[in-house]
Amino acid sequence: MTTVLKDYQHKYSSAELTRDGNGVLLVQFHTNGGSLIWSETAHRELAGLFGDVADDRDNRVVILTGKGPNFITETDNASLSDVGTPNGWDKIYFEGRRMLRNLLDIECPVIGALNGPVTEHCELILLSDVVLCSESATLKDGPHFANGLVPGDGINLLLPLVMGLNRARYFLLMGQRLSANEMLDVGIVSEVLPPSQLLARANEIAKLWAAKPSLTLKYTRTALVHTMRKLMIDQLGYGLALEGNALVAMGTENFEFLPQD
């Protein structure tokens, strides 16, 4: 059984949304039905999407995942060709702050189901309250230091919390790639599952949670993300400003996010 969402169900091309009769909202990020390709459209849309999800109080649990074999490993460079200009980066700065703020403003528990390799914007999954992981998943920070950019878009704040300060700095500076089991070992994810069982397990947990009282769901999520929300409010803008300043200083109006191996 599915329920009708408010007017945002078909509003965004970068995500497919369905909600069951228990109030469990499944958000599947994609590009044309396959793995999400990061682009100007995705960056712009996800900021609004998370705001709409947060505003819909009929959502009792949210599951975030991706379609296809990867979570995010590709970038549409042409759509982001102006990020090396002041006005181009100002758009990234505006949308980037809204995207993570709105994600953390969702007032019901969030389950992240990492369906495959991720090299960009892993925070979209790792900011979840419980993170499940496919055996096929890997984690690498592709766009930033390894590609000549400052890691200032929130990953610099998130990873030290979930994996420890020194491990996070090594990961970001060395371009390290972690397997699913390595992510489990350092506490980035909580469970590693065969790909065919990932969504079933996410739905199993979501159904269990959705049976809880509404205010228990709302206030537990609020309590658990309070520290991260405060950290993002205080420091995300600063990190994005540092990243943008270094990028603009390169004079790279046609900067490219290099393909990730």
Side-chain angles (χ1 to χ4, degrees):
M1 174 181 176
T2 60
T3 59
V4 177
L5 301 178
K6 295 182 179 179
D7 57 3
Y8 65 93
Q9 182 170 13
H10 304 294
K11 183 177 176 181
Y12 302 102
S13 64
S14 301
E16 180 179 306
L17 286 76
T18 55
R19 187 171 61 209
D20 67 16
N22 297 311
V24 177
L25 176 68
L26 174 63
V27 179
Q28 295 178 289
F29 302 116
H30 71 94
T31 297
N32 298 323
S35 299
L36 182 64
I37 298 173
W38 196 250
S39 64
E40 184 278 333
T41 299
H43 199 273
R44 169 172 40 84
E45 285 193 343
L46 265 55
L49 168 63
F50 292 140
D52 283 336
V53 172
D55 287 342
D56 187 349
R57 296 174 71 84
D58 290 330
N59 294 323
R60 297 181 61 78
V61 181
V62 173
I63 299 172
L64 302 178
T65 191
K67 285 194 167 187
N70 305 317
F71 184 63
I72 310 173
T73 59
E74 296 183 57
T75 300
D76 177 2
N77 282 301
S79 71
L80 296 165
S81 61
D82 66 345
V83 296
T85 68
N87 285 336
W89 189 259
D90 179 66
K91 183 174 182 295
I92 297 293
Y93 177 78
F94 172 74
E95 294 171 355
R97 288 179 298 137
R98 288 185 68 240
M99 182 167 61
L100 297 193
R101 182 176 68 238
N102 289 346
L103 175 54
L104 289 168
D105 276 348
I106 295 173
E107 290 188 336
C108 65
V110 178
I111 299 169
L114 183 57
N115 57 298
V118 56
T119 59
E120 302 184 39
H121 289 286
C122 65
E123 74 278 0
L124 299 179
I125 286 287
L126 299 187
L127 283 172
S128 303
D129 300 298
V130 164
V131 183
L132 311 177
C133 179
S134 166
E135 292 172 339
S136 65
T138 59
L139 173 67
K140 178 180 178 179
D141 180 43
H144 294 118
F145 194 74
N147 197 36
L149 292 183
V150 175
D153 64 352
I155 193 171
N156 56 310
L157 305 175
L158 173 64
L159 288 184
L161 288 183
V162 300
M163 63 191 298
L165 179 59
N166 283 352
R167 282 176 173 166
R169 287 188 291 186
Y170 183 88
F171 174 83
L172 291 169
L173 291 169
M174 300 300 292
Q176 186 180 21
R177 184 185 296 274
L178 299 179
S179 68
N181 285 329
E182 287 171 327
M183 285 189 272
L184 180 65
D185 288 343
V186 300
I188 295 175
V189 303
S190 298
E191 297 182 22
V192 174
L193 300 148
S196 61
Q197 298 178 21
L198 183 67
L199 272 183
R201 176 57 174 156
N203 278 293
E204 178 185 11
I205 296 171
K207 184 178 180 180
L208 179 67
W209 290 356
K212 306 289 185 185
S214 296
L215 292 186
T216 298
L217 295 174
K218 174 181 177 180
Y219 294 148
T220 297
R221 164 72 173 179
T222 301
L224 291 177
V225 302
H226 178 74
T227 297
M228 179 55 71
R229 288 182 73 246
K230 187 174 185 299
L231 186 63
M232 291 294 179
I233 290 170
D234 289 347
Q235 298 186 34
L236 178 57
Y238 177 61
L240 282 166
L242 292 174
E243 183 175 347
N245 186 62
L247 177 58
V248 172
M250 296 179 194
T252 52
E253 293 189 9
N254 295 306
F255 179 85
E256 291 189 358
F257 296 95
L258 299 177
Q260 302 303 310
D261 53 13

